[in-house]
Amino acid sequence: MMVGRDDLPWSEACERNRVPIARVLDELLPQRPQVLEIGSGTGQHAVFFNRLRPELVWRCSDLPENLVGLQARIDREGEGRLPDAIELDVMRSDWPCGPFDLVFSANTLHIMPWTHTPVLLERSCAVLANGGCLVIYGPFHDNGVHIAPSNEAFDRSLKARDPAMGVRDAQRIRALASAIGLQPEADLAMPANNRILVFRKPDRAPN
Ligand SMILES: C[S@@+](CC[C@H](N)C(=O)[O-])C[C@H]1O[C@@H](n2cnc3c(N)ncnc32)[C@H](O)[C@@H]1O
């Protein structure tokens, strides 16, 4: 994360990926949707989608150390519609009750240790409305096979930075999701060898 010209935290990648992500989210979002974002970072995605779909309620969240910058962006660019960001550590915090129509998280699973992924899936499922979906954006491999050399290099650079980081396995995520009743619905190719994984909570949760 860098600091932009306006002194707010800034991600160049967010500027590049926000339009293709928005196209996917737009299809998935119902009328007047309630959204929870996990690991909002700079808040650029939230600001962009809030302008695109002014009727949505997009709740940003992040670790305590990122909240000041995130809130500053919301205050300056949220057009009075974005709710205040909340502190949410996937492993530690109480999650908001919801229900949310959509839980969104971009570029977070490869930053968090792998042990966070099952927890993120379970808690997302718990706060989703029946029929709602979890949307995860980022780089993924399949059973250890990277979809591009650049993803493999990125995986190596993450692990050199911190051995707990690393590009995650879409197949393992799908198996974990299925086991808790989140149905894998889509696996969409995105620019720069990223993907969007979509999981749906059934209309009626199985007994
Ligand atoms: C690479 S940044 C991505 C930020 C933003 N979503 C984006 O696409 O630019 C990873 C984000 O995950 C957040 N994160 C890391 N560990 C977390 C955890 N345990 N719980 C919640 N968020 C976490 C970081 O604070 C950071 O904002």
Side-chain angles (χ1 to χ4, degrees):
M1 229 181 278
M2 296 163 63
V3 174
R5 277 188 300 258
D6 51 8
D7 289 338
L8 293 174
W10 173 263
S11 158
E12 186 59 41
C14 270
E15 294 302 297
R16 286 195 303 268
N17 63 32
R18 61 187 195 173
V19 172
I21 293 176
R23 282 201 193 106
V24 175
L25 291 188
D26 204 34
E27 298 271 307
L28 292 167
L29 287 166
Q31 296 292 311
R32 309 181 68 75
Q34 302 275 337
V35 178
L36 172 66
E37 182 179 10
I38 300 164
S40 302
T42 63
Q44 286 161 264
H45 283 139
V47 163
F48 184 70
F49 301 134
N50 178 51
R51 284 185 186 147
L52 213 63
R53 294 277 301 261
E55 90 288 6
L56 63 71
V57 180
W58 185 288
R59 174 72 71 179
C60 291
S61 75
D62 212 313
L63 299 178
E65 57 265 35
N66 285 334
L67 280 186
V68 172
L70 175 57
Q71 187 60 47
R73 181 172 301 281
I74 289 171
D75 291 342
R76 216 176 297 174
E77 299 179 3
E79 298 179 357
R81 285 191 307 269
L82 277 178
D84 286 348
I86 55 169
E87 178 179 328
L88 200 165
D89 179 330
V90 162
M91 299 299 271
R92 294 206 191 97
S93 311
D94 291 335
W95 283 48
C97 307
F100 294 97
D101 301 296
L102 191 139
V103 176
F104 172 69
S105 199
N107 290 317
T108 51
L109 296 193
H110 59 266
I111 299 294
M112 303 171 185
W114 166 251
T115 48
H116 288 38
T117 295
V119 177
L120 185 146
L121 294 173
E122 277 163 28
R123 296 196 179 167
S124 297
C125 185
V127 301
L128 274 173
N130 290 344
C133 55
L134 169 64
V135 178
I136 305 175
Y137 170 91
F140 300 98
H141 58 68
D142 296 297
N143 299 318
V145 180
H146 288 280
I147 62 171
S150 58
N151 283 18
E152 194 169 359
F154 182 53
D155 189 32
R156 273 198 305 272
S157 73
L158 286 167
K159 287 174 175 147
R161 201 167 126 199
D162 180 341
M165 293 183 182
V167 172
R168 305 302 174 202
D169 190 331
Q171 305 309 320
R172 282 182 81 185
I173 295 170
R174 201 167 293 147
L176 284 171
S178 297
I180 59 163
L182 274 179
Q183 295 168 345
E185 182 171 286
D187 178 351
L188 307 169
M190 301 297 284
N193 302 309
N194 287 296
R195 286 151 80 172
I196 282 186
L197 308 180
V198 181
F199 303 96
R200 185 150 322 252
K201 183 167 172 174
D203 258 333
R204 262 194 56 196
N207 295 322

